[in-house]
Amino acid sequence: MIPVTKPFLPPQADYQGYLDGIWNRNWLTNNGPLVNELELRLKEYLGVNHLLYVSNGTMALQIAIKALDLKGEIITTPFSYVATTSSIVWEGCKPIYVDIIPGKFTIDPTKIEEAITPETSAILATHVYGIPCDVEEIERIAKKHNLKVIYDAAHAFGVKIKGRSIFEYGDISTCSFHATKIFHTIEGGGVFTKDPELLKKMSFLRNFGHDGFDKFNGLGINGKNSEFHAAMGLAILPYLESILAKRKEQFVFYKNLLQKLSVEFSNIEKIESYNYSYFPIVFQSEGILLKSKQLLDENGIACRRYFYPGLNTLDYTSGDCPVSDAISTRVLCLPLYHILSKEEQQMIARFLLRVQNYNNDKSNLELAETRNS
Ligand SMILES: *Cc1c(COP(=O)(O)O)cnc(C)c1O
């Protein structure tokens, strides 16, 4: 059985070392020493000044929306994980979908301005598969219309733009450290901002609004994370470079194996520092996707339709997004994780090519039959 992803687990002894410390201190959660250490190490690793470790990537998004006091309409992408939309709705705002760029999977800035109304308060865009949004253009539009910008950077750990962490863009960026993500703490997430005041506000929001034991600074929520989760992150960090290097190798290997497959790959040539976190392929039709997925399923290989259905097709939604619709029905993410072997990748490629060749043979046959009749 080949899953679509497998969480990286550090050597058990590494994690045990952190557990010993937790047992000695008897300090399990509430801004403990391991949470602080993880925040510090992440700042060093990413080269950012301000981040908060929170309970998950969805909570990170909701805290970001709350911290910016967003109301009314939020312009967002239809091509993302459902949490991007659900966070907007849970914070009482309305998602307004703007289509994605053809040939790229991120929000199309040329279509943002026509979606702005007097009710618009922000843009919430996703660096989907770790592919950076057009951040400069989005920033220009946001400035011009006095809008806030949040990036859902759940896939973008380790990605850089112009030498800076992608988390430095937007008023706030959020990340997920869920077990399925490239860097994980089992469950977990982060909020990032360059604005120290905003960071302070989010730190209150993360902890019920507590300002000391008996005083409150606004009303917050429980967005804290535990020492056990932080320990997993700390135990994984030393392996991160090798995880990323391996991903790149596997990514390139897939691409070479699949040269003859009639699909579109993600366009990552222009990204200066990418994390190779997902391997999406866009088939020529949903029919071939379904046939391919079925053959892989039958052979114990799990692929996922990330991201299908398009978020604009869910309830409480508006917005016509033909480009996203056309991609979300035809895209499939192939298995990708640190211990996926070359042989397994070759097997996956063979199955995909087999479906295509079978289809071609069949249509050639049908063509020949029509000619002969
Ligand atoms: C995983 C993910 C989230 C949610 O993160 P959790 O940590 O699972 O809550 C949000 N947005 C995107 C794009 C994701 O992939």
Side-chain angles (χ1 to χ4, degrees):
M1 163 77 194
I2 301 177
V4 69
T5 189
K6 239 182 218 181
F8 177 86
L9 280 171
Q12 211 172 336
D14 293 11
Y15 191 63
Q16 187 61 48
Y18 287 107
L19 293 187
D20 293 344
I22 296 175
W23 254 257
N24 287 336
R25 288 185 294 272
N26 208 335
W27 187 346
L28 310 187
T29 186
N30 284 2
N31 208 17
L34 295 182
V35 164
N36 278 292
E37 190 182 338
L38 179 66
E39 289 182 339
L40 202 69
R41 296 271 201 85
L42 285 174
K43 281 184 219 173
E44 283 166 10
Y45 180 83
L46 297 163
V48 300
N49 289 328
H50 302 299
L51 78 89
L52 293 171
Y53 179 49
V54 298
S55 46
N56 58 63
T58 309
M59 181 59 74
L61 282 167
Q62 293 191 213
I63 288 177
I65 294 170
K66 199 67 113 189
L68 293 170
D69 212 7
L70 301 183
K71 301 272 181 296
E73 297 176 354
I74 299 180
I75 288 175
T76 189
T77 175
F79 194 71
S80 182
Y81 184 58
V82 69
T84 317
T85 283
S86 69
S87 308
I88 294 172
V89 176
W90 273 62
E91 292 309 326
C93 297
K94 183 172 183 222
I96 302 293
Y97 298 96
V98 164
D99 212 349
I100 57 177
I101 305 173
K104 214 178 154 197
F105 301 101
T106 52
I107 197 166
D108 189 344
T110 65
K111 300 199 177 122
I112 289 179
E113 283 193 286
E114 65 203 53
I116 295 173
T117 73
E119 302 302 311
T120 311
S121 60
I123 301 166
L124 199 180
T126 302
H127 303 302
V128 70
Y129 309 131
I131 299 167
C133 294
D134 196 341
V135 289
E136 281 172 7
E137 193 52 21
I138 291 172
E139 189 176 319
R140 190 190 66 76
I141 296 165
K143 274 221 175 88
K144 182 172 157 197
H145 297 272
N146 199 19
L147 304 176
K148 301 290 185 191
V149 178
I150 299 173
Y151 287 113
D152 181 344
H155 303 165
F157 192 96
V159 176
K160 287 187 191 142
I161 303 175
K162 294 192 172 160
R164 283 163 58 201
S165 167
I166 198 164
F167 297 145
E168 298 238 305
Y169 291 83
D171 292 283
I172 300 175
S173 276
T174 65
C175 194
S176 165
F177 307 143
H178 183 256
T180 53
K181 305 295 193 312
I182 201 155
F183 166 73
H184 81 90
T185 67
I186 312 170
E187 292 276 357
V191 289
F192 301 79
T193 179
K194 284 175 293 182
D195 178 348
E197 283 306 309
L198 206 47
L199 192 86
K200 207 163 157 196
K201 188 168 178 191
M202 290 195 286
S203 82
F204 287 125
L205 289 174
R206 174 177 67 169
N207 187 26
F208 304 100
H210 266 294
D211 187 3
F213 288 119
D214 304 326
K215 210 176 131 211
F216 291 89
N217 190 319
L219 286 178
I221 195 163
N222 182 357
K224 294 177 274 104
N225 213 333
S226 83
E227 292 291 278
F228 293 81
H229 292 86
M232 182 58 83
L234 287 166
I236 290 174
L237 264 180
Y239 298 93
L240 201 55
E241 283 306 305
S242 70
I243 295 170
L244 289 168
K246 183 76 195 226
R247 273 300 161 110
K248 179 172 183 183
E249 225 177 78
Q250 293 166 322
F251 190 102
V252 172
F253 194 62
Y254 257 143
K255 213 160 168 182
N256 287 334
L257 288 172
L258 297 173
Q259 275 317 320
K260 292 220 167 69
L261 195 67
S262 305
V263 293
E264 281 168 57
F265 300 105
S266 50
N267 184 357
I268 56 156
E269 271 77 51
K270 291 211 188 88
I271 308 174
E272 68 174 64
S273 172
Y274 186 50
N275 64 6
Y276 303 91
S277 47
Y278 295 85
F279 197 87
I281 53 176
V282 183
F283 289 89
Q284 286 180 324
S285 71
E286 187 176 22
I288 301 201
L289 176 145
L290 292 173
K291 277 184 196 156
S292 304
K293 188 168 183 303
Q294 188 186 347
L295 183 67
L296 291 166
D297 279 340
E298 285 166 4
N299 286 280
I301 299 162
C303 296
R304 286 288 300 273
R305 298 183 75 179
Y306 290 143
F307 290 97
Y308 171 84
L311 300 175
N312 55 313
T313 65
L314 305 177
D315 285 355
Y316 39 76
T317 59
S318 67
D320 212 15
C321 303
V323 180
S324 171
D325 293 345
I327 288 179
S328 65
T329 47
R330 291 182 293 125
V331 68
L332 194 65
C333 280
L334 302 186
L336 194 57
Y337 49 89
H338 60 290
I339 47 172
L340 181 71
S341 69
K342 281 202 156 70
E343 291 70 28
E344 288 169 324
Q345 288 189 279
Q346 283 165 332
M347 180 169 74
I348 293 163
R350 271 200 306 275
F351 282 128
L352 290 169
L353 288 161
R354 188 186 296 172
V355 174
Q356 174 170 303
N357 292 340
Y358 175 78
N359 261 307
N360 288 348
D361 288 350
K362 213 173 76 174
S363 51
N364 287 341
L365 199 69
E366 278 161 8
L367 206 64
E369 277 167 1
T370 34
R371 278 207 195 103
N372 293 339
S373 62

